[in-house]
Amino acid sequence: MPTDVRPQVDLAPPTDVRPQVDLAPPTDVRPEIDLAPPAGVPPQADLAPPGGVRPQGDAPASGAAQVSVPAQLRGPRNGGGAPGAGADRTPVVVLTDAELAAALESIMLVVDEPVGELQLAQVMEEPVERIARTLEDVSARYTAAGHGIDLRRVAGGWRLYTRPEYAHYVERFVLDGQSVRLTQAALETLSVVAYKQPVTRSRISAIRGVNCDGVMRTLVTRGLIEECGTEPETGAYLYRTTVLFLEKLGLNSIDQLPPLAPFLPDDVEEVLDASG
């Protein structure tokens, strides 16, 4: 064979030319199928923050148990807690023991009948146990200090009373007070009871235009008016004048009271229309 003829083996590509098999993607490149989430795992599960902690605004994932958290465990009463949580709510003032006792004493001075611990707890926004403990402490403090008033638990509630050892002085003050002349407010209230009896406190207050509870207690204490049953519709107490009232005025019965017509103004209808 002639020496200038190149054998077929020289037809192979040069050694520096990469075969087509090298054009395949590297083995470390993940195919597109790997980008899909694992089977059975919802896509939104990857959006949850680390540690499985879900923000308050996120809805719970499907199948996850919903746990209800009591309101009193979500943060302190003074408005603390997570930033932004309850920012539009007015913070509740936490009273100290001394402040709570002073507030309860103030309420005890204005009640007309024993008030229960549950009602006080609702007003003060405090636990019933703390209200009861504070009232007992105040009562014990009054007794230890020798005060003339006593805070007692009576008829399922609490109320201030005078101490029995000073009853003589209280009785003397009340009885001597009966000889004092009636005030203008007391006379007006007594007149309404006399002409409208039997009548309730609310009706008397509506006629006079002012609250008359204090004046009514004074008239009852002096024996000029008394309770005479309750109103069927509302259950409110009815009041009427007493025999002592007739004795003081020198009357034999209520029928002898003078008529009111001569004492009324001529334009009474205009006055009533203007006020009503």
Side-chain angles (χ1 to χ4, degrees), residues 93-106 124 126 130 134 138 141:
V93 178
V94 179
L95 298 177
T96 63
D97 292 342
E99 292 172 340
L100 180 59
L104 292 175
E105 287 177 328
S106 301
M124 302 301 300
E126 294 286 347
R130 190 184 182 196
T134 303
V138 172
R141 190 176 72 233

Side-chain angles (χ1 to χ4, degrees), residues 2-276:
T3 58
D4 58 349
V5 178
R6 183 175 297 176
Q8 294 182 0
V9 69
D10 295 334
L11 297 178
T15 56
D16 57 348
V17 178
R18 182 174 298 177
Q20 293 184 359
V21 69
D22 294 336
L23 298 178
T27 56
D28 58 347
V29 178
R30 181 176 298 177
E32 292 183 359
I33 191 171
D34 293 336
L35 299 179
V41 179
Q44 57 269 32
D46 294 339
L47 300 179
V53 180
R54 184 179 300 277
Q56 292 183 358
D58 292 347
S62 59
Q66 299 183 3
V67 180
S68 178
V69 181
Q72 58 269 29
L73 298 181
R74 295 175 185 170
R77 298 183 61 192
N78 56 2
D88 57 342
R89 296 181 59 186
T90 302
V92 179
V93 178
V94 179
L95 298 177
T96 63
D97 292 342
E99 292 172 340
L100 180 59
L104 292 175
E105 287 177 328
S106 301
I107 296 177
M108 290 296 107
L109 286 175
V110 299
V111 299
D112 293 331
E113 56 187 14
V115 57
E117 299 167 356
L118 179 59
Q119 182 179 358
L120 292 172
Q122 294 174 346
V123 172
M124 302 301 300
E125 297 184 354
E126 294 286 347
V128 178
E129 294 77 9
R130 190 184 182 196
I131 295 295
R133 183 174 64 254
T134 303
L135 291 172
E136 292 173 356
D137 293 342
V138 172
S139 179
R141 190 176 72 233
Y142 284 174
T143 302
H147 288 299
I149 57 177
D150 183 21
L151 182 60
R152 305 177 196 167
R153 188 200 298 267
V154 177
W158 292 83
R159 187 180 180 184
L160 290 173
Y161 293 89
T162 58
R163 295 194 180 275
E165 52 266 33
Y166 305 114
H168 172 71
Y169 302 102
V170 176
E171 182 180 359
R172 182 189 301 177
F173 173 80
V174 174
L175 294 178
D176 290 346
Q178 291 185 6
S179 60
V180 180
R181 296 182 57 182
L182 295 176
T183 63
Q184 182 67 26
L187 287 174
E188 292 177 2
T189 303
L190 183 59
S191 300
V192 174
V193 176
Y195 282 94
K196 289 291 187 180
Q197 59 182 314
V199 63
T200 62
R201 288 189 182 189
S202 59
R203 178 60 176 165
I204 299 172
S205 299
I207 293 175
R208 293 196 59 226
V210 295
N211 187 288
C212 60
D213 291 346
V215 179
M216 292 289 291
R217 286 194 294 268
T218 300
L219 295 176
V220 171
T221 301
R222 298 187 180 185
L224 296 175
I225 62 175
E226 62 184 359
E227 295 179 2
C228 60
T230 58
E231 192 176 41
E233 293 81 5
T234 63
Y237 288 108
L238 295 170
Y239 291 87
R240 65 185 179 188
T241 55
T242 62
V243 176
L244 179 62
F245 170 80
L246 297 176
E247 294 179 0
K248 295 294 184 180
L249 270 67
L251 303 176
N252 187 41
S253 66
I254 297 298
D255 298 335
Q256 295 181 352
L257 287 173
L260 289 177
F263 301 97
L264 296 177
D266 297 334
D267 57 344
V268 62
E269 294 183 357
E270 298 179 1
V271 174
L272 292 176
D273 292 340
S275 60

